[in-house]
Amino acid sequence: MVNVVAAMKPLIHGLVKLAGLSQQTVEIEPGTVMNFWAPKETKTVVNKKPNKPVVVFAHPFAGDAILMWFPQVLALTSQYFVYVPDFIFFGGSTTSRPDRSAEFQAECLARGLRKLGVEKCTVVGLSYGGMVGFKMVAMYPELVEALVASCTVIEMTQSVAHQSQKKLGISQWSELLLPETVEGVKFLFTVGYHKWPNWLPDFVYKHCLQA
């Protein structure tokens, strides 16, 4: 059987390309590259002042960012220059550095945006993306002129983490964020979505786990 999740990728990529974005790989530093879906204009008009405001979508702890944000991309590209990055260790973004902090993600994102010619932007962050967004505001206030943050905290402190884990009934975050079974995927989706449909067949969750 064809993996329905994997099969969606080419369709979504095609729709996003029709909306005016292209996939671009930016070298942040030797050994660190970041994948962006960015306006096609950045390839030829990097040094010109943008004629539309810039919006950057920062994804939660999930796979490819474009699979999360493509509805917003399709809705907003007529009025905004939209950038959708994969954080380091997600999607097409990798590094040889051992750093796993939100500060490192914010640094890479800011450097990548500047290499694409972005001088000012609004960051829209969901969950983990919101935490990275707060770091960007603190570290690069000249770059981020506004932040929209949803379902997030300013920083994941030990006390916040402990309270959240207790509420969810887990002992460590990998139990939720890195499921190894179909039941684990179901649990992740019911936590991550409001009124997640419980009628989906098990093969959909299996395909999500495989993909």
Side-chain angles (χ1 to χ4, degrees):
M1 180 185 291
V2 175
N3 187 300
V4 294
V5 177
M8 287 175 57
K9 277 191 178 184
L11 174 60
I12 291 173
H13 287 184
L15 291 172
V16 171
K17 288 177 181 177
L18 288 175
L21 272 63
S22 66
Q23 206 165 6
Q24 303 180 39
T25 301
V26 178
E27 184 180 48
I28 307 302
E29 62 185 28
T32 301
V33 295
M34 199 163 195
N35 178 68
F36 283 83
W37 282 91
K40 294 175 182 177
E41 292 92 335
T42 59
K43 289 187 174 181
T44 55
V45 197
V46 170
N47 295 319
K48 292 186 179 180
K49 187 175 181 180
N51 56 14
K52 293 189 289 187
V54 173
V55 174
V56 179
F57 286 105
H59 65 80
F61 196 96
D64 293 8
I66 200 64
L67 301 183
M68 167 66 63
W69 293 114
F70 78 91
Q72 287 76 18
V73 171
L74 301 180
L76 296 179
T77 48
S78 63
Q79 300 178 46
Y80 299 88
F81 282 133
V82 179
Y83 292 76
V84 185
D86 288 328
F87 287 140
I88 304 297
F89 314 113
F90 297 86
S93 300
T94 61
T95 186
S96 57
R97 286 174 56 175
D99 199 332
R100 300 293 191 270
S101 66
E103 289 90 348
F104 177 54
Q105 298 284 11
E107 175 192 348
C108 290
L109 180 51
R111 291 174 66 180
L113 288 170
R114 283 174 171 157
K115 289 194 174 189
L116 290 171
V118 175
E119 296 180 354
K120 291 279 187 181
C121 66
T122 294
V123 176
V124 179
L126 175 64
S127 187
Y128 180 60
M131 287 187 276
V132 175
F134 282 119
K135 294 297 182 184
M136 283 188 68
V137 170
M139 296 165 65
Y140 307 98
E142 74 286 354
L143 174 64
V144 183
E145 58 184 355
L147 171 66
V148 180
S150 178
C151 304
T152 190
V153 293
I154 294 177
E155 187 166 2
M156 183 59 77
T157 63
Q158 286 187 346
S159 61
V160 170
H162 179 71
Q163 291 173 9
S164 300
Q165 290 168 347
K166 185 177 180 181
K167 182 178 180 180
L168 294 170
I170 58 176
S171 60
Q172 54 187 1
W173 285 112
S174 60
E175 293 178 33
L176 173 69
L177 300 174
L178 299 172
E180 298 180 350
T181 65
V182 167
E183 291 302 318
V185 177
K186 288 182 180 180
F187 179 54
L188 172 61
F189 284 176
T190 55
V191 170
Y193 288 84
H194 179 61
K195 295 184 179 179
W196 179 257
N198 57 12
W199 47 262
L200 288 176
D202 279 359
F203 79 83
V204 173
Y205 298 101
K206 183 179 179 181
H207 287 189
C208 289
L209 182 63
Q210 292 170 341

